[in-house]
Amino acid sequence: MYAPTSTNSPRSGPTSGDDDGLIDFDGAGEILRAWGNGLRPDPELTVSEWADRHRMLSGRASAEPGRYRTVRTPYMREIMDRLSPGDPTQRIVFMKAAQVGATEAGNNWIGFAIHQAPGPMLAVQPTVELAKRNSRQRIDPLIDESPELRERVKPARSRDAGNTMLSKEFAGGILIMTGANSAVGLRSTPARYIFLDEVDAYPASADEEGDPVTLAEARSLTFAHRRKVLLVSTPTIRGLSRIEREYEASDQRRFFVPCPQCGHAQWLKFDRLRWQKGRPETAEYHCEGCDAAIAEHHKTAMLEGGEWRATATAADPTTVGYHLSALYSPIGWLSWERIVRSWEAAQGSDEAIKAFRNTILGETWVETGEAPDWQRLYDRRERWKSGTVPAGGLFLTAGADVQKDRIEVDVWAWGRGLESWLVDHVVIEGGPDRHDAWSELTALLDRSWPHERRAHLRIARLAIDTGYEAPAVYSWSRAQGFAQVSPVKGVEGFNRSSPVSGPTFVDATEGGKRLRRGARLWTVAVSTFKAETYRFLRLARPTEEEMADGAAFPPGSVHLPHWVENEWLKQFVAEQLVTVRTKRGFARLEWQKLRERNEALDCRVYARAAAWIAGADRWPDEKWRDLEDQLGAAPTDTDPAGQINRPGQAPQGKRRSDWLGRREGWF
């Protein structure tokens, strides 16, 4: 039978009698209160509650520094709270416009996870470089400005801190940041939380190992119902947009706000925003219930009274989807007046309207890809001196398509706004196995074309397809030098962030030896440039009367010479963009041939890629002016000393250096 071995066992705490003296000293009450607070569990906060209590916005990363207030963007409350551990939702999809506060909401979730619900987390940007930038500009300020996070994530300078540019360790978890272009980063570790930002800018495949979204989400499967996945993006092109595909598979929630006049709940649509033509400052929203005009100052109260409502049934009950346009942007951010100004400024440019729909309305752009009728292009041919570069052309690029029995080359001149002129069409007989064919192509690089301003232009850059007999193409390209020749590989699909990527070094064979850094290969998203070409062909042209009054062709206009033949025109419009359905029922855009031969369109795409590689898409106005100066632009005025000046040109004697054309040997 058990009996206690001592009757004088110590007590675990103060009681009565003689023990009262144990707490009879100054500060005893504070110690007891602190002891009791330490035993009290932390309050169960949602992500939005945590943000309101603990999040501080840094002046380095926010236009409104100070304490974060969810009431500033009430529509973000439900989205953030779906990310809380107590909510059963596993996947949150947010298709949105710019300037609605989505990035800060995602950062709130990261801070909440570090402080309240630690676990492994993966945050994915479109590229590794963007992940590094986001770490410096967003994540570091998030941690530095919040005491609760600072004490959990050690400074990067401490020894063995576990805090690097792309990795932040904390008690109970780790935040890994990577790019969608890195398969290694996507499969690096299991993750309970996954934040996929700007998914429509992700490449089609991560290092050719598969879809980045699929690879990233696979990291969370072992966490079953405890996982949380947030997908955020502005959309791009219908049929290709990842975020639209995910949103359409969700319950498709819209934010309904009440009309201040009649109380009718509605979600905001751009076609209900009305204004006097040419006066964006008169913009008002018209209620779809009572048609009363709503001034923008009512927006704050409308947002506070708004709520998310599902408009569809989700295929997966653990997934919810949200859509929000910039019409909801709070007072002081993007106003209705600025939205109207953006819309009016975009008129006449498909590219600008596309950007408006994507970034302001948060909607996809419908890319028709309809091939213009070749007879219409025939009727629109223009007459200028054969073999001469028209006055607007400032530099030349060429696209070469290698076939079994010939090499076809088209030479294009490019001007401001990517206005273009077909200058020459060359067919070199004999395939890549014929030495003389390569010699003729080499001679083409040394050839020059007369310009209307009496200069002579050489090909600034030639892009040549490697799809047929790639080793022969690599060998020739290497011999010519990669400053003027760019081997290219066309890949299907659109790429919003960069239609051309590279160069990457690829092996090439020379004399039976394998060269480790043999050729520099550029990858071209051909769908992007095909769609652009067809948009440019659809641009309205000024009439002869309008041109006589000084009207100019719109940027991007494509000029075809009178000597171009019917066969070339048919090849130029030989494909059409169509929507096809995948086995899972999703829409996908695909270019399909309307006829067998399409070399003219391919050569145009390669020549356009060559212009992109040369930098034309990124040149400032000063560089275009320098090219015009070097070609001898028509004088427009004379300074007091009698020297001829041109628009934007410094007086003679103070001219800018010939930075481009002559330096590169283009003319």
Side-chain angles (χ1 to χ4, degrees):
M1 184 176 183
Y2 173 78
T5 57
S6 172
T7 59
N8 297 318
S9 59
R11 299 180 183 272
S12 60
T15 56
S16 58
D18 294 338
D19 291 335
D20 289 344
L22 294 175
I23 60 171
D24 189 14
F25 60 88
D26 290 341
E30 293 181 9
I31 293 175
L32 288 174
R33 280 193 297 273
W35 180 67
N37 290 337
L39 295 178
R40 186 179 300 116
D42 291 334
E44 291 188 6
L45 302 176
T46 64
V47 174
S48 65
E49 290 170 342
W50 180 90
D52 288 335
R53 182 175 299 189
H54 298 292
R55 178 76 196 280
M56 297 295 294
L57 299 174
S58 167
R60 289 187 293 160
S62 174
E64 296 182 357
R67 184 167 297 281
Y68 182 89
R69 296 178 301 128
T70 304
V71 70
R72 190 79 170 99
T73 53
Y75 46 76
M76 294 307 307
R77 185 183 305 277
E78 179 178 322
I79 297 174
M80 288 191 287
D81 290 350
R82 292 285 183 178
L83 297 164
S84 306
D87 192 285
T89 306
Q90 295 180 26
R91 299 177 79 250
I92 298 90
V93 177
F94 190 19
M95 183 170 74
K96 52 87 180 180
Q99 299 192 52
V100 294
T103 299
E104 293 302 345
N107 292 338
N108 290 341
W109 181 37
I110 292 176
F112 172 87
I114 295 173
H115 185 200
Q116 294 284 310
M121 186 176 215
L122 180 65
V124 184
Q125 294 288 328
T127 65
V128 173
E129 191 57 40
L130 286 175
K132 293 178 180 178
R133 186 187 307 172
N134 184 71
S135 178
R136 291 191 301 266
Q137 298 179 354
R138 298 282 188 176
I139 304 304
D140 286 346
L142 165 71
I143 296 170
D144 293 343
E145 299 296 327
S146 300
E148 291 77 13
L149 302 183
R150 276 203 311 271
E151 67 184 26
R152 286 165 172 78
V153 182
K154 295 181 180 179
R157 60 181 176 272
S158 9
R159 188 174 182 180
D160 299 326
N163 184 343
T164 65
M165 179 74 73
L166 296 177
S167 175
K168 310 290 182 184
E169 290 186 11
F170 49 91
I174 184 173
L175 169 63
I176 300 292
M177 291 165 281
T178 189
N181 59 341
S182 171
V184 173
L186 294 176
R187 63 168 185 260
S188 59
T189 181
R192 178 183 176 185
Y193 308 120
I194 298 180
F195 181 15
L196 304 175
D197 198 13
E198 289 301 335
V199 297
D200 270 19
Y202 288 6
S205 180
D207 294 333
E208 299 185 358
E209 293 192 20
D211 175 49
V213 172
T214 303
L215 292 177
E217 288 205 52
R219 302 293 91 207
S220 68
L221 296 180
T222 56
F223 289 90
H225 66 280
R226 296 186 299 133
R227 73 175 185 142
K228 295 284 184 181
V229 180
L230 173 62
L231 299 95
V232 177
S233 188
T234 52
T236 49
I237 299 172
R238 181 165 298 175
L240 297 176
S241 172
R242 284 188 177 94
I243 198 68
E244 182 188 54
R245 182 172 66 240
E246 296 289 349
Y247 176 74
E248 289 183 344
S250 73
D251 56 2
Q252 301 181 29
R253 298 182 177 228
R254 303 275 191 172
F255 197 66
F256 284 71
V257 294
C259 169
Q261 311 292 339
C262 68
H264 176 74
Q266 60 205 289
W267 62 273
L268 302 183
K269 306 177 181 68
F270 181 63
D271 59 8
R272 304 295 303 179
L273 190 65
R274 296 167 188 169
W275 63 94
Q276 297 177 24
K277 187 176 181 180
R279 297 187 60 196
E281 67 276 8
T282 63
E284 293 177 319
Y285 193 88
H286 284 248
C287 172
E288 67 180 14
C290 64
D291 203 38
I294 304 172
E296 188 163 17
H297 66 80
H298 290 293
K299 190 194 292 185
T300 300
M302 294 168 67
L303 294 179
E304 290 175 354
E307 64 175 358
W308 288 102
R309 295 181 183 178
T311 62
T313 302
D316 177 5
T318 64
T319 298
V320 294
Y322 301 88
H323 176 268
L324 199 76
S325 75
L327 293 171
Y328 292 90
S329 189
I331 300 294
W333 289 12
L334 186 61
S335 66
W336 289 345
E337 177 185 343
R338 286 176 57 196
I339 290 174
V340 170
R341 289 189 186 279
S342 297
W343 172 252
E344 290 190 338
Q347 300 310 299
S349 168
D350 278 359
E351 279 298 313
I353 294 176
K354 174 184 175 183
F356 180 88
R357 295 193 68 87
N358 290 167
T359 62
I360 303 297
L361 301 185
E363 298 174 354
T364 51
W365 167 261
V366 179
E367 192 72 77
T368 60
E370 294 178 359
D373 186 74
W374 73 268
Q375 285 102 338
R376 186 163 64 89
L377 297 182
Y378 182 89
D379 294 338
R380 272 180 23 185
R381 294 179 307 164
E382 302 172 36
R383 184 171 293 277
W384 65 80
K385 189 175 180 181
S386 181
T388 300
V389 181
L394 300 179
F395 71 101
L396 303 181
T397 68
D401 187 21
V402 180
Q403 300 287 326
K404 182 178 180 180
D405 59 350
R406 67 194 184 283
I407 301 174
E408 298 213 12
V409 184
D410 282 337
V411 181
W412 287 86
W414 302 90
R416 284 179 177 269
L418 295 176
E419 192 172 357
S420 60
W421 294 260
L422 178 65
V423 172
D424 209 342
H425 172 63
V426 179
V427 179
I428 298 174
E429 298 298 336
D433 57 344
R434 178 174 171 263
H435 183 270
D436 288 348
W438 294 113
S439 298
E440 291 180 39
L441 188 58
T442 301
L444 194 67
L445 294 175
D446 293 328
R447 179 181 164 186
S448 64
W449 285 259
H451 193 278
E452 281 191 11
R453 295 173 183 169
R454 293 177 295 184
H456 282 75
L457 298 186
R458 298 172 65 233
I459 294 173
R461 187 172 289 269
L462 179 143
I464 182 169
D465 180 35
T466 60
Y468 184 79
E469 290 291 342
V473 176
Y474 293 152
S475 178
W476 178 81
S477 301
R478 186 176 57 254
Q480 308 313 311
F482 298 112
Q484 190 181 13
V485 175
S486 298
V488 296
K489 174 186 178 182
V491 294
E492 293 300 323
F494 293 78
N495 192 321
R496 178 179 66 173
S497 59
S498 177
V500 182
S501 57
T504 57
F505 288 94
V506 295
D507 291 340
T509 302
E510 185 178 64
K513 294 183 179 180
R514 202 161 189 80
L515 304 179
R516 185 164 172 263
R517 296 169 75 86
R520 299 174 187 175
L521 179 66
W522 297 83
T523 301
V524 180
V526 295
S527 294
T528 300
F529 288 142
K530 288 177 182 177
E532 177 194 78
T533 297
Y534 281 8
R535 283 201 306 274
F536 287 169
L537 289 173
R538 292 196 299 269
L539 291 174
R541 293 167 166 248
T543 63
E544 292 184 3
E545 293 78 8
E546 291 171 336
M547 286 191 288
D549 292 336
F553 283 88
S557 294
V558 179
H559 302 270
L560 302 176
H562 66 280
W563 49 260
V564 72
E565 298 176 350
N566 294 356
E567 174 60 26
W568 189 96
L569 291 171
K570 293 176 182 178
Q571 293 180 20
F572 197 46
V573 292
E575 296 187 26
Q576 183 165 296
L577 190 64
V578 298
T579 302
V580 297
R581 291 283 172 180
T582 65
K583 293 181 180 179
R584 297 178 59 191
F586 293 127
R588 179 171 60 85
L589 293 179
E590 181 180 284
W591 286 95
Q592 293 182 356
K593 288 185 179 182
L594 300 175
R595 63 195 309 274
E596 184 58 32
R597 294 189 59 183
N598 65 341
E599 293 92 323
L601 180 59
D602 285 345
C603 287
R604 161 72 185 202
V605 167
Y606 303 145
R608 175 66 179 93
W612 192 98
I613 295 169
D617 293 71
R618 302 171 294 283
W619 287 341
D621 183 70
E622 182 182 9
K623 293 188 178 181
W624 289 105
R625 289 203 305 267
D626 278 332
L627 280 178
E628 290 169 337
D629 291 346
Q630 293 176 51
L631 287 170
T636 59
D637 61 349
T638 305
D639 71 7
Q643 294 176 324
I644 294 175
N645 293 325
R646 301 178 182 93
Q649 178 184 331
Q652 293 181 13
K654 300 181 181 179
R655 281 188 60 148
R656 296 175 296 272
S657 61
D658 288 344
W659 68 276
L660 185 61
R662 292 196 178 98
R663 185 192 70 190
E664 301 292 346
W666 296 359
F667 47 81

